[in-house]
């Protein structure tokens, strides 16, 4: 089976999953992005993506290990869940952004 429905959840201050959503679509691919204010909203957003038929969920780096684990538990193996990670070459840049 080919990947045709993809979900991405991103964290950002002030984002509201009921309002902050976008879709990128072609005849062969459909991606839904949901913005959440915090990783704590991730499980509910992931369940919403499952209801929309996504085959895979990717999480932004703001979820961290605990937030990713919560989303994994929420989908209970229904779809693969991945998370964006940063290598050591990005540490200084991240420190500047989140100082």
């Amino acid at each position: 089976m080919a990947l045709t429905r993809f979900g991405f959840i991103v964290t950002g201050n002030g984002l509201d999953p009921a309002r902050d959503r976008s879709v990128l679509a072609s005849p062969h691919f459909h991606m839904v992005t949901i913005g959440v204010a915090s990783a704590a909203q991730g499980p509910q957003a992931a369940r919403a993506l499952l209801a929309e038929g996504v085959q895979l969920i990717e999480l932004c780096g703001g979820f961290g290990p605990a937030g990713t684990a919560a989303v994994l538990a929420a989908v209970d193996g229904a779809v693969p869940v991945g998370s964006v990670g940063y290598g050591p070459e990005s540490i200084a840049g991240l420190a500047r952004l989140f100082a």
Side-chain angles (χ1 to χ4, degrees), residues 24 49 65-66 70 87 89 91 94-95 98:
L24 232 117
L49 288 170
E89 68 281 354
I91 300 301
L94 288 168
F98 297 106

Tab-separated table of all heavy atoms in Angstrom, residues 24 49 65-66 70 87 89 91 94-95 98:
chain	number	residue	atom	x	y	z
A	24	LEU	N	-2.577	20.060	2.266
A	24	LEU	CA	-1.839	20.053	1.010
A	24	LEU	C	-2.293	18.814	0.276
A	24	LEU	O	-2.207	17.715	0.824
A	24	LEU	CB	-0.345	19.929	1.322
A	24	LEU	CG	0.544	20.959	0.690
A	24	LEU	CD1	1.173	21.757	1.802
A	24	LEU	CD2	1.571	20.281	-0.132
A	49	LEU	N	-6.682	13.122	13.501
A	49	LEU	CA	-6.054	12.710	12.246
A	49	LEU	C	-6.411	11.268	11.896
A	49	LEU	O	-6.658	10.948	10.733
A	49	LEU	CB	-4.536	12.888	12.321
A	49	LEU	CG	-4.038	14.325	12.298
A	49	LEU	CD1	-2.544	14.380	12.628
A	49	LEU	CD2	-4.322	14.976	10.952
A	65	PRO	N	10.440	13.589	23.853
A	65	PRO	CA	10.149	12.179	24.121
A	65	PRO	C	8.821	11.944	24.853
A	65	PRO	O	8.076	11.031	24.496
A	65	PRO	CB	11.332	11.718	24.982
A	65	PRO	CG	12.424	12.686	24.690
A	65	PRO	CD	11.756	13.988	24.378
A	66	ALA	N	8.511	12.763	25.850
A	66	ALA	CA	7.274	12.541	26.616
A	66	ALA	C	6.036	12.825	25.770
A	66	ALA	O	5.066	12.064	25.798
A	66	ALA	CB	7.270	13.399	27.876
A	70	ALA	N	3.086	10.156	24.527
A	70	ALA	CA	1.653	10.354	24.754
A	70	ALA	C	0.867	10.164	23.457
A	70	ALA	O	-0.218	9.565	23.464
A	70	ALA	CB	1.400	11.737	25.339
A	87	GLY	N	20.140	16.938	15.297
A	87	GLY	CA	21.458	16.408	15.596
A	87	GLY	C	22.298	17.409	16.363
A	87	GLY	O	21.910	18.565	16.553
A	89	GLU	N	24.752	19.084	15.552
A	89	GLU	CA	25.125	20.283	14.790
A	89	GLU	C	24.090	21.392	14.921
A	89	GLU	O	24.350	22.547	14.589
A	89	GLU	CB	25.328	19.928	13.307
A	89	GLU	CG	24.076	19.535	12.573
A	89	GLU	CD	23.589	18.108	12.804
A	89	GLU	OE1	24.281	17.304	13.477
A	89	GLU	OE2	22.504	17.781	12.314
A	91	ILE	N	22.444	22.124	17.939
A	91	ILE	CA	22.276	22.522	19.348
A	91	ILE	C	22.467	24.024	19.549
A	91	ILE	O	21.653	24.663	20.212
A	91	ILE	CB	23.216	21.713	20.263
A	91	ILE	CG1	22.901	20.220	20.143
A	91	ILE	CG2	23.133	22.187	21.709
A	91	ILE	CD1	21.487	19.822	20.511
A	94	LEU	N	19.478	25.957	18.158
A	94	LEU	CA	18.295	25.770	18.998
A	94	LEU	C	18.407	26.581	20.288
A	94	LEU	O	17.419	27.189	20.736
A	94	LEU	CB	18.106	24.285	19.325
A	94	LEU	CG	17.638	23.409	18.163
A	94	LEU	CD1	17.776	21.950	18.531
A	94	LEU	CD2	16.218	23.750	17.776
A	95	ALA	N	19.593	26.599	20.861
A	95	ALA	CA	19.805	27.364	22.098
A	95	ALA	C	19.531	28.856	21.856
A	95	ALA	O	18.930	29.531	22.704
A	95	ALA	CB	21.211	27.151	22.619
A	98	PHE	N	15.607	29.367	21.576
A	98	PHE	CA	14.809	29.136	22.767
A	98	PHE	C	15.449	29.670	24.040
A	98	PHE	O	15.084	29.251	25.134
A	98	PHE	CB	14.494	27.639	22.893
A	98	PHE	CG	13.658	27.134	21.754
A	98	PHE	CD1	14.210	26.351	20.752
A	98	PHE	CD2	12.313	27.472	21.663
A	98	PHE	CE1	13.433	25.897	19.690
A	98	PHE	CE2	11.539	27.020	20.610
A	98	PHE	CZ	12.095	26.222	19.624
